[in-house]
Amino acid sequence: MNSKRRVFLKGTLAAGTVGVAVGAGLLTPSTVLASAREGFEAGSISDALQSVMGSDSHDSGDITISAPELAENGAVVPITVESSLTGVTDIAILAAANNTPLTSSYKLGEGTKAYVATRIKMGESSDIVAVLKSNGQLYSSSREVKVTIGGCGG
Amino acid sequence: MSSIRVRAQLSDGVTNVRALISHPMETGQRTDSGGNTIPAHYITEVKASLGDREILTANWGPAISRNPYLSFQFEGASSGDTLDISWVDNNGESDSTQVRIS
């Protein structure tokens, strides 16, 4: 019974240490939970990639972006990103002219294909940038989408 | 009824998943007719797993369209396997569903 009490005390002590660190501002709750979320606040593609991928240096790679050339409604722009690169662990989709360019990022498990399709909002005509991490190296590709009516305001 | 509608179809060893989620995906930048800001309300994370195996984690911002669509593909599943899909939004709401791979 006593040993259980010891374990319990140790547990509260450890939790207390983290709590103190959070309280002292060493660790903000957001960094503890998900530092990757910062990418969604970033105002530039470079900052967003630093946050999501840990680097912003990338080569052009064999990535296919399927998107309409002209999107009438910026609120719903279908995007498909696909690549023949192997060992892809991460995919990010960015709309260059949005206030915060990062729309979404994806972590792929082993055996998951380098393929993702979704629908995004675009504020105005701009490049769609897809960035992939393959075997630790970043590759990117971009494609212009013209938007008739922006899909961010209202 | 689940907010997630999903199909998972196996073809030539590759499972193709297509999911549609009912969600407002409010950016927090829009205003209503009275000029009041409509608070942000959007899905932040979607997870897909096959038993213990993590297939895909999507991190989303408010720039994903309303009633989001997500499609992805993976190898190594058999017909009849169960795929779990779940989402969480910025208000802490969540939902999940299961689909049999056909």
Side-chain angles (χ1 to χ4, degrees):
Chain A
M1 184 163 173
N2 245 345
S3 68
K4 267 187 190 162
R5 187 169 173 271
R6 280 300 111 199
V7 171
F8 174 74
L9 282 175
K10 264 189 200 162
T12 51
L13 209 67
T17 314
V18 174
V20 167
V22 171
L26 296 173
L27 296 163
T28 60
S30 65
T31 58
V32 175
L33 293 172
S35 61
R37 300 285 330 157
E38 284 168 23
F40 292 103
E41 314 276 319
S44 72
I45 289 180
S46 161
D47 289 350
L49 289 180
Q50 281 284 2
S51 166
V52 175
M53 300 285 195
S55 166
D56 69 340
S57 64
H58 46 91
D59 300 329
S60 60
D62 177 20
I63 303 164
T64 307
I65 303 173
S66 307
E69 243 170 70
L70 179 74
E72 293 214 345
N73 183 359
V76 187
V77 183
I79 306 282
T80 302
V81 174
E82 206 170 350
S83 175
S84 59
L85 292 167
T86 57
V88 175
T89 54
D90 296 84
I91 297 176
I93 303 174
L94 305 103
N98 281 6
N99 285 343
T100 52
L102 183 64
T103 67
S104 54
S105 69
Y106 303 85
K107 286 230 172 276
L108 278 51
E110 218 169 300
T112 303
K113 309 270 276 182
Y115 170 95
V116 67
T118 190
R119 301 189 295 219
I120 67 165
K121 297 172 194 163
M122 294 178 69
E124 56 189 285
S125 302
S126 83
D127 276 347
I128 297 296
V129 181
V131 180
L132 268 66
K133 190 187 270 184
S134 158
N135 299 313
Q137 177 73 39
L138 298 189
Y139 299 91
S140 78
S141 178
S142 70
R143 181 190 174 114
E144 195 192 5
V145 174
K146 289 197 174 73
V147 174
T148 315
I149 307 163
C152 286
Chain B
M1 210 187 96
S2 175
S3 64
I4 310 170
R5 285 198 296 147
V6 58
R7 295 190 73 173
Q9 286 175 312
L10 185 66
S11 167
D12 294 331
V14 175
T15 305
N16 186 21
V17 182
R18 284 174 297 162
L20 204 52
I21 305 172
S22 300
H23 200 282
M25 298 301 284
E26 275 299 341
T27 59
Q29 293 172 31
R30 299 199 315 147
T31 49
D32 64 19
S33 51
N36 307 306
T37 302
I38 303 169
H41 186 201
Y42 57 93
I43 292 174
T44 53
E45 188 182 84
V46 184
K47 272 193 176 196
S49 56
L50 191 74
D52 297 341
R53 184 179 153 197
E54 290 192 6
I55 301 294
L56 181 103
T57 302
N59 287 296
W60 282 354
I64 295 296
S65 304
R66 180 168 183 266
N67 295 334
Y69 171 75
L70 176 65
S71 176
F72 53 92
Q73 299 176 342
F74 63 97
E75 293 172 324
S78 310
S79 180
D81 286 356
T82 302
L83 185 75
D84 293 285
I85 299 200
S86 62
W87 59 259
V88 179
D89 71 19
N90 66 321
N91 290 347
E93 292 165 24
S94 64
D95 198 6
S96 63
T97 195
Q98 292 191 323
V99 62
R100 270 168 77 88
I101 296 167
S102 62

